Amino acid sequence: IRGLAAALACVSMLIACSPMPPSVDTAQYVPLALAPASLSGARDRRAEFREFFCDEASGTLTPEEGVKACRTALRQFRGETAVDSVIRRREDQRGAYRIGLALGMGWDCVRGLIEETQLPTAQLREYGFDTLLIEVEGLSSSERNAAIIAETLREQFRGDDQRPFILIGYSKGAPDILEALQQYPSVVEHTAAMISVAGAIGGSPVAEHTGRGTMAALKYSPFGDCSASDGSVLGSLHPATRQAWLADHLPLPVPSYSLVTAPEPAHVSRALRSSFKLLGAVHPINDGALLHWDQMLPGSTLLGYVNADHWAVAVPIDVDDIPLGQFLVRNGFPRTQLWLALADFVIADLESHSKQNPDSDLPR
Protein backbone atom coordinates (compact mmCIF):
# COMPACT_ATOMS: atom_id res chain seq x y z
CA ILE A 1 0.00 0.00 0.00
CA ARG A 2 2.83 2.36 0.90
CA GLY A 3 4.45 1.63 -2.49
CA LEU A 4 1.21 2.37 -4.31
CA ALA A 5 0.73 5.57 -2.34
CA ALA A 6 4.30 6.63 -3.17
CA ALA A 7 3.73 5.90 -6.86
CA LEU A 8 0.50 7.90 -6.88
CA ALA A 9 2.29 10.75 -5.14
CA CYS A 10 5.02 10.72 -7.77
CA VAL A 11 2.44 10.73 -10.59
CA SER A 12 0.57 13.58 -8.91
CA MET A 13 3.80 15.55 -8.57
CA LEU A 14 4.60 15.02 -12.27
CA ILE A 15 1.12 16.14 -13.30
CA ALA A 16 1.26 19.12 -11.00
CA CYS A 17 4.64 20.16 -12.38
CA SER A 18 3.72 19.70 -16.08
CA PRO A 19 3.24 22.95 -17.95
CA MET A 20 -0.24 24.38 -18.37
CA PRO A 21 -1.52 25.42 -21.82
CA PRO A 22 -0.76 29.04 -22.67
CA SER A 23 -3.27 31.65 -21.62
CA VAL A 24 -5.96 32.34 -24.20
CA ASP A 25 -6.37 35.86 -25.53
CA THR A 26 -10.14 36.13 -25.12
CA ALA A 27 -10.25 39.15 -27.42
CA GLN A 28 -9.62 36.71 -30.29
CA TYR A 29 -12.50 34.38 -29.44
CA VAL A 30 -16.27 34.60 -29.88
CA PRO A 31 -18.57 33.16 -27.17
CA LEU A 32 -20.30 30.10 -28.59
CA ALA A 33 -23.23 27.95 -27.53
CA LEU A 34 -23.72 24.28 -28.34
CA ALA A 35 -27.20 23.62 -29.72
CA PRO A 36 -28.96 21.31 -32.21
CA ALA A 37 -28.49 22.38 -35.82
CA SER A 38 -32.18 23.27 -36.13
CA LEU A 39 -31.76 25.84 -33.35
CA SER A 40 -28.76 27.47 -35.02
CA GLY A 41 -30.94 28.88 -37.77
CA ALA A 42 -30.37 25.88 -40.04
CA ARG A 43 -33.19 24.24 -41.96
CA ASP A 44 -33.04 20.51 -41.28
CA ARG A 45 -33.80 18.65 -44.52
CA ARG A 46 -31.71 15.55 -43.88
CA ALA A 47 -34.54 13.06 -44.33
CA GLU A 48 -35.73 14.75 -47.52
CA PHE A 49 -32.24 14.77 -49.02
CA ARG A 50 -31.76 11.11 -48.09
CA GLU A 51 -34.91 10.21 -50.04
CA PHE A 52 -33.70 12.32 -52.94
CA PHE A 53 -30.26 10.68 -52.86
CA CYS A 54 -31.74 7.18 -52.70
CA ASP A 55 -33.84 7.94 -55.75
CA GLU A 56 -30.78 9.37 -57.54
CA ALA A 57 -28.66 6.33 -56.68
CA SER A 58 -31.34 3.97 -57.95
CA GLY A 59 -31.08 5.60 -61.37
CA THR A 60 -27.28 5.60 -61.67
CA LEU A 61 -26.31 2.30 -60.02
CA THR A 62 -27.50 -1.27 -60.25
CA PRO A 63 -30.44 -1.99 -57.90
CA GLU A 64 -28.17 -3.85 -55.48
CA GLU A 65 -25.53 -1.09 -55.50
CA GLY A 66 -28.20 1.58 -55.15
CA VAL A 67 -29.73 -0.02 -52.06
CA LYS A 68 -26.31 -0.45 -50.44
CA ALA A 69 -25.28 3.14 -51.20
CA CYS A 70 -28.56 4.46 -49.87
CA ARG A 71 -28.26 2.56 -46.61
CA THR A 72 -24.63 3.34 -45.84
CA ALA A 73 -23.69 6.64 -47.48
CA LEU A 74 -25.72 8.98 -45.25
CA ARG A 75 -25.75 8.48 -41.50
CA GLN A 76 -28.90 8.96 -39.49
CA PHE A 77 -28.77 10.94 -36.26
CA ARG A 78 -31.46 11.74 -33.77
CA GLY A 79 -33.86 14.58 -34.49
CA GLU A 80 -34.48 14.27 -38.20
CA THR A 81 -37.74 15.89 -39.20
CA ALA A 82 -40.36 13.82 -40.99
CA VAL A 83 -40.54 13.91 -44.78
CA ASP A 84 -43.78 15.48 -45.95
CA SER A 85 -42.78 15.57 -49.61
CA VAL A 86 -39.63 15.41 -51.69
CA ILE A 87 -38.99 18.07 -54.31
CA ARG A 88 -39.00 16.89 -57.90
CA ARG A 89 -35.75 16.58 -59.78
CA ARG A 90 -35.41 19.15 -62.57
CA GLU A 91 -33.05 17.63 -65.12
CA ASP A 92 -34.31 20.17 -67.65
CA GLN A 93 -32.78 22.93 -65.49
CA ARG A 94 -29.29 21.47 -65.16
CA GLY A 95 -28.11 23.77 -67.92
CA ALA A 96 -29.66 26.86 -66.34
CA TYR A 97 -26.84 27.14 -63.80
CA ARG A 98 -23.09 26.75 -63.82
CA ILE A 99 -21.29 24.99 -60.99
CA GLY A 100 -17.96 26.22 -59.65
CA LEU A 101 -15.90 24.12 -57.23
CA ALA A 102 -13.13 25.39 -54.96
CA LEU A 103 -11.02 22.64 -53.41
CA GLY A 104 -9.19 22.74 -50.08
CA MET A 105 -5.83 23.04 -48.41
CA GLY A 106 -2.85 21.84 -50.43
CA TRP A 107 -4.87 20.38 -53.29
CA ASP A 108 -2.53 21.79 -55.95
CA CYS A 109 0.52 20.55 -54.00
CA VAL A 110 -0.63 16.97 -54.62
CA ARG A 111 -2.53 17.49 -57.85
CA GLY A 112 -0.69 14.61 -59.47
CA LEU A 113 -2.29 12.22 -56.97
CA ILE A 114 -5.81 13.38 -57.79
CA GLU A 115 -7.65 11.58 -60.58
CA GLU A 116 -9.05 14.75 -62.12
CA THR A 117 -11.27 12.86 -64.55
CA GLN A 118 -13.01 11.46 -61.45
CA LEU A 119 -13.44 14.80 -59.67
CA PRO A 120 -17.09 15.71 -59.04
CA THR A 121 -16.83 18.57 -61.55
CA ALA A 122 -15.70 16.19 -64.30
CA GLN A 123 -18.29 13.56 -63.41
CA LEU A 124 -21.17 16.05 -63.31
CA ARG A 125 -20.41 17.11 -66.88
CA GLU A 126 -21.38 13.60 -67.94
CA TYR A 127 -24.90 14.37 -66.70
CA GLY A 128 -25.36 17.70 -68.47
CA PHE A 129 -23.94 20.15 -65.92
CA ASP A 130 -21.63 22.97 -66.93
CA THR A 131 -18.87 22.87 -64.30
CA LEU A 132 -15.69 24.75 -63.51
CA LEU A 133 -12.79 23.86 -61.21
CA ILE A 134 -11.77 27.20 -59.68
CA GLU A 135 -7.98 27.25 -59.42
CA VAL A 136 -7.57 28.57 -55.88
CA GLU A 137 -4.12 28.32 -54.28
CA GLY A 138 -3.88 25.44 -51.83
CA LEU A 139 -1.55 27.11 -49.33
CA SER A 140 -2.86 30.67 -49.59
CA SER A 141 -5.07 32.64 -47.23
CA SER A 142 -8.82 32.85 -47.73
CA GLU A 143 -8.46 36.55 -48.54
CA ARG A 144 -6.11 35.82 -51.43
CA ASN A 145 -8.24 32.99 -52.73
CA ALA A 146 -11.32 35.19 -52.50
CA ALA A 147 -9.66 37.54 -54.97
CA ILE A 148 -8.92 34.58 -57.28
CA ILE A 149 -12.56 33.45 -57.09
CA ALA A 150 -13.79 36.97 -57.86
CA GLU A 151 -11.46 37.32 -60.85
CA THR A 152 -12.41 33.86 -62.13
CA LEU A 153 -16.09 34.80 -62.09
CA ARG A 154 -15.38 38.14 -63.74
CA GLU A 155 -13.70 36.26 -66.59
CA GLN A 156 -16.68 33.91 -66.88
CA PHE A 157 -19.15 36.81 -67.20
CA ARG A 158 -17.22 38.85 -69.76
CA GLY A 159 -18.92 36.94 -72.57
CA ASP A 160 -22.54 36.33 -73.49
CA ASP A 161 -23.04 33.52 -70.98
CA GLN A 162 -24.77 35.12 -68.01
CA ARG A 163 -26.01 31.99 -66.27
CA PRO A 164 -25.46 32.24 -62.49
CA PHE A 165 -23.10 30.01 -60.56
CA ILE A 166 -23.77 27.58 -57.77
CA LEU A 167 -20.49 27.78 -55.84
CA ILE A 168 -19.37 24.68 -53.97
CA GLY A 169 -16.63 24.95 -51.38
CA TYR A 170 -14.94 21.76 -50.26
CA SER A 171 -12.89 21.94 -47.05
CA LYS A 172 -11.02 25.27 -47.01
CA GLY A 173 -12.68 26.10 -50.32
CA ALA A 174 -15.79 26.92 -48.28
CA PRO A 175 -14.28 29.81 -46.25
CA ASP A 176 -12.55 31.00 -49.43
CA ILE A 177 -15.98 31.34 -51.07
CA LEU A 178 -17.43 32.95 -47.94
CA GLU A 179 -14.68 35.57 -48.05
CA ALA A 180 -15.38 36.19 -51.74
CA LEU A 181 -19.08 36.69 -51.07
CA GLN A 182 -18.27 39.16 -48.32
CA GLN A 183 -15.56 41.13 -50.11
CA TYR A 184 -16.81 41.27 -53.70
CA PRO A 185 -20.37 42.40 -54.58
CA SER A 186 -19.84 41.05 -58.12
CA VAL A 187 -19.53 37.52 -56.69
CA VAL A 188 -22.85 37.90 -54.88
CA GLU A 189 -24.45 39.26 -58.06
CA HIS A 190 -23.49 36.16 -60.04
CA THR A 191 -24.06 33.49 -57.36
CA ALA A 192 -27.38 31.67 -57.10
CA ALA A 193 -26.37 29.59 -54.06
CA MET A 194 -23.39 28.41 -52.03
CA ILE A 195 -22.84 24.81 -50.90
CA SER A 196 -20.39 23.75 -48.22
CA VAL A 197 -19.14 20.15 -48.52
CA ALA A 198 -17.04 19.17 -45.50
CA GLY A 199 -16.40 22.90 -45.27
CA ALA A 200 -13.98 24.35 -42.72
CA ILE A 201 -16.64 26.83 -41.66
CA GLY A 202 -15.52 27.07 -38.04
CA GLY A 203 -11.89 26.22 -38.71
CA SER A 204 -10.10 23.18 -37.32
CA PRO A 205 -8.01 22.46 -34.22
CA VAL A 206 -5.82 20.37 -36.51
CA ALA A 207 -4.56 23.60 -38.11
CA GLU A 208 -3.23 24.66 -34.73
CA HIS A 209 -1.28 21.40 -34.42
CA THR A 210 0.15 21.26 -37.94
CA GLY A 211 3.93 21.61 -37.81
CA ARG A 212 6.45 23.10 -40.19
CA GLY A 213 7.48 19.66 -41.37
CA THR A 214 3.99 18.91 -42.68
CA MET A 215 3.79 22.27 -44.42
CA ALA A 216 7.22 21.80 -45.98
CA ALA A 217 6.23 18.35 -47.22
CA LEU A 218 3.21 19.88 -48.93
CA LYS A 219 5.04 22.89 -50.34
CA TYR A 220 7.86 20.82 -51.82
CA SER A 221 5.73 17.84 -52.83
CA PRO A 222 6.87 16.20 -56.08
CA PHE A 223 3.22 15.60 -57.01
CA GLY A 224 2.23 19.20 -57.75
CA ASP A 225 3.16 22.86 -57.67
CA CYS A 226 1.85 25.22 -55.00
CA SER A 227 4.84 27.56 -54.96
CA ALA A 228 2.70 30.58 -55.91
CA SER A 229 0.79 30.39 -52.62
CA ASP A 230 1.32 33.03 -49.95
CA GLY A 231 1.77 30.36 -47.25
CA SER A 232 -0.95 31.73 -44.95
CA VAL A 233 -3.35 28.82 -45.20
CA LEU A 234 -3.13 27.74 -41.54
CA GLY A 235 -3.97 31.19 -40.23
CA SER A 236 -7.18 31.14 -42.26
CA LEU A 237 -8.11 27.78 -40.70
CA HIS A 238 -7.59 28.66 -37.04
CA PRO A 239 -10.89 28.33 -35.16
CA ALA A 240 -10.57 31.80 -33.63
CA THR A 241 -10.20 33.33 -37.10
CA ARG A 242 -13.13 31.52 -38.64
CA GLN A 243 -15.45 31.96 -35.67
CA ALA A 244 -14.75 35.68 -35.53
CA TRP A 245 -15.50 35.90 -39.25
CA LEU A 246 -18.84 34.17 -38.77
CA ALA A 247 -19.75 36.50 -35.94
CA ASP A 248 -19.08 39.54 -38.12
CA HIS A 249 -20.45 38.48 -41.50
CA LEU A 250 -23.62 36.42 -41.13
CA PRO A 251 -26.20 36.03 -42.54
CA LEU A 252 -25.00 35.32 -46.05
CA PRO A 253 -26.39 37.29 -49.00
CA VAL A 254 -27.18 34.08 -50.95
CA PRO A 255 -28.97 30.80 -50.09
CA SER A 256 -26.62 28.25 -48.58
CA TYR A 257 -26.47 24.51 -47.96
CA SER A 258 -24.31 22.29 -45.73
CA LEU A 259 -23.20 18.70 -46.26
CA VAL A 260 -21.25 17.40 -43.26
CA THR A 261 -18.83 14.47 -43.20
CA ALA A 262 -19.18 12.27 -40.13
CA PRO A 263 -17.73 8.81 -40.87
CA GLU A 264 -17.90 5.71 -38.76
CA PRO A 265 -14.35 4.88 -37.58
CA ALA A 266 -14.11 1.97 -40.03
CA HIS A 267 -14.54 4.44 -42.90
CA VAL A 268 -11.60 6.65 -41.87
CA SER A 269 -8.39 6.32 -43.90
CA ARG A 270 -5.39 5.14 -41.90
CA ALA A 271 -3.55 8.27 -43.03
CA LEU A 272 -6.19 10.35 -41.24
CA ARG A 273 -6.44 8.30 -38.06
CA SER A 274 -3.93 10.39 -36.11
CA SER A 275 -5.93 13.59 -36.63
CA PHE A 276 -9.17 11.64 -36.20
CA LYS A 277 -8.01 10.61 -32.73
CA LEU A 278 -6.79 14.14 -31.98
CA LEU A 279 -10.20 15.58 -32.79
CA GLY A 280 -11.83 12.63 -31.03
CA ALA A 281 -10.51 14.01 -27.74
CA VAL A 282 -12.94 16.88 -28.32
CA HIS A 283 -15.78 14.92 -29.95
CA PRO A 284 -15.91 11.44 -31.51
CA ILE A 285 -17.87 12.65 -34.54
CA ASN A 286 -15.31 14.11 -36.92
CA ASP A 287 -13.92 13.31 -40.36
CA GLY A 288 -10.20 13.27 -39.60
CA ALA A 289 -9.80 16.96 -40.36
CA LEU A 290 -12.87 18.75 -39.00
CA LEU A 291 -15.28 18.38 -36.12
CA HIS A 292 -18.85 17.93 -37.30
CA TRP A 293 -20.09 21.19 -35.79
CA ASP A 294 -17.29 23.16 -37.46
CA GLN A 295 -18.69 22.08 -40.84
CA MET A 296 -22.15 23.48 -40.16
CA LEU A 297 -22.82 26.85 -41.80
CA PRO A 298 -25.28 28.75 -39.56
CA GLY A 299 -28.47 29.69 -41.36
CA SER A 300 -27.94 27.14 -44.12
CA THR A 301 -30.03 24.17 -45.20
CA LEU A 302 -28.59 21.03 -43.60
CA LEU A 303 -28.64 18.21 -46.14
CA GLY A 304 -26.99 15.37 -44.30
CA TYR A 305 -24.12 13.66 -42.51
CA VAL A 306 -22.03 11.66 -44.95
CA ASN A 307 -20.41 8.37 -43.95
CA ALA A 308 -17.09 9.27 -45.55
CA ASP A 309 -13.85 10.76 -44.29
CA HIS A 310 -12.58 14.20 -45.24
CA TRP A 311 -10.94 13.00 -48.45
CA ALA A 312 -13.37 10.36 -49.70
CA VAL A 313 -16.36 12.72 -49.95
CA ALA A 314 -14.78 14.87 -52.67
CA VAL A 315 -11.24 13.91 -53.72
CA PRO A 316 -10.60 10.83 -55.88
CA ILE A 317 -7.08 9.86 -54.83
CA ASP A 318 -4.96 7.70 -57.12
CA VAL A 319 -3.83 5.26 -54.45
CA ASP A 320 -1.62 3.37 -56.93
CA ASP A 321 0.79 6.33 -57.01
CA ILE A 322 1.18 6.39 -53.21
CA PRO A 323 3.46 3.95 -51.37
CA LEU A 324 1.13 1.62 -49.42
CA GLY A 325 -1.73 3.68 -50.88
CA GLN A 326 -4.27 0.86 -50.70
CA PHE A 327 -3.38 0.40 -47.03
CA LEU A 328 -3.33 4.10 -46.05
CA VAL A 329 -6.30 5.51 -47.98
CA ARG A 330 -9.96 4.45 -47.99
CA ASN A 331 -11.34 6.30 -50.98
CA GLY A 332 -14.19 4.10 -52.12
CA PHE A 333 -17.43 6.05 -51.88
CA PRO A 334 -20.35 6.71 -54.29
CA ARG A 335 -19.13 10.29 -54.85
CA THR A 336 -20.73 10.74 -58.25
CA GLN A 337 -24.16 9.71 -57.00
CA LEU A 338 -23.86 11.94 -53.93
CA TRP A 339 -22.72 15.01 -55.88
CA LEU A 340 -25.31 14.42 -58.57
CA ALA A 341 -28.02 14.35 -55.90
CA LEU A 342 -26.48 17.43 -54.29
CA ALA A 343 -26.52 19.46 -57.51
CA ASP A 344 -29.99 18.29 -58.54
CA PHE A 345 -31.46 18.92 -55.09
CA VAL A 346 -30.16 22.49 -54.87
CA ILE A 347 -31.28 23.34 -58.40
CA ALA A 348 -34.74 21.89 -57.75
CA ASP A 349 -34.92 23.86 -54.51
CA LEU A 350 -33.90 27.10 -56.21
CA GLU A 351 -36.39 26.53 -59.02
CA SER A 352 -39.16 25.69 -56.55
CA HIS A 353 -38.53 28.90 -54.65
CA SER A 354 -38.36 30.90 -57.88
CA LYS A 355 -41.83 29.67 -58.83
CA GLN A 356 -43.22 30.52 -55.41
CA ASN A 357 -41.63 33.97 -55.41
CA PRO A 358 -41.43 35.10 -59.04
CA ASP A 359 -40.61 38.68 -58.06
CA SER A 360 -37.72 37.76 -55.79
CA ASP A 361 -34.23 38.59 -57.03
CA LEU A 362 -32.61 36.09 -54.70
CA PRO A 363 -34.02 32.62 -53.96
CA ARG A 364 -34.19 31.77 -50.28
Side-chain angles (χ1 to χ4, degrees), residues 88-126:
R88 186 172 63 88
R89 181 176 295 99
R90 294 294 306 273
E91 292 186 21
D92 61 314
Q93 291 299 309
R94 287 177 177 175
Y97 300 86
R98 289 179 282 181
I99 294 177
L101 171 64
L103 293 175
M105 173 179 164
W107 78 274
D108 47 353
C109 304
V110 294
R111 192 167 190 168
L113 297 178
I114 298 174
E115 297 186 55
E116 294 198 40
T117 59
Q118 300 299 313
L119 275 172
T121 43
Q123 292 295 296
L124 288 177
R125 288 191 205 109
E126 302 292 323

Side-chain angles (χ1 to χ4, degrees), residues 61-201:
L61 299 171
T62 66
E64 183 177 348
E65 290 173 331
V67 170
K68 182 178 180 181
C70 178
R71 287 177 177 172
T72 62
L74 295 173
R75 298 186 70 181
Q76 188 163 358
F77 291 86
R78 178 180 174 181
E80 286 191 10
T81 55
V83 180
D84 294 326
S85 62
V86 179
I87 56 176
R88 186 172 63 88
R89 181 176 295 99
R90 294 294 306 273
E91 292 186 21
D92 61 314
Q93 291 299 309
R94 287 177 177 175
Y97 300 86
R98 289 179 282 181
I99 294 177
L101 171 64
L103 293 175
M105 173 179 164
W107 78 274
D108 47 353
C109 304
V110 294
R111 192 167 190 168
L113 297 178
I114 298 174
E115 297 186 55
E116 294 198 40
T117 59
Q118 300 299 313
L119 275 172
T121 43
Q123 292 295 296
L124 288 177
R125 288 191 205 109
E126 302 292 323
Y127 293 90
F129 292 95
D130 190 349
T131 64
L132 172 69
L133 178 61
I134 302 174
E135 303 269 345
V136 293
E137 297 173 352
L139 297 184
S140 283
S141 65
S142 288
E143 291 83 1
R144 177 160 172 169
N145 281 341
I148 293 173
I149 292 168
E151 180 56 32
T152 299
L153 293 191
R154 274 194 291 269
E155 288 290 333
Q156 292 294 314
F157 284 94
R158 282 186 177 135
D160 295 331
D161 192 347
Q162 296 297 303
R163 290 174 299 163
F165 269 87
I166 295 172
L167 295 179
I168 305 179
Y170 160 67
S171 191
K172 182 178 169 289
D176 292 349
I177 291 173
L178 292 178
E179 291 276 1
L181 289 168
Q182 185 265 322
Q183 293 184 35
Y184 300 96
S186 61
V187 175
V188 177
E189 179 185 353
H190 297 305
T191 301
M194 183 256 181
I195 307 172
S196 170
V197 175
I201 303 299

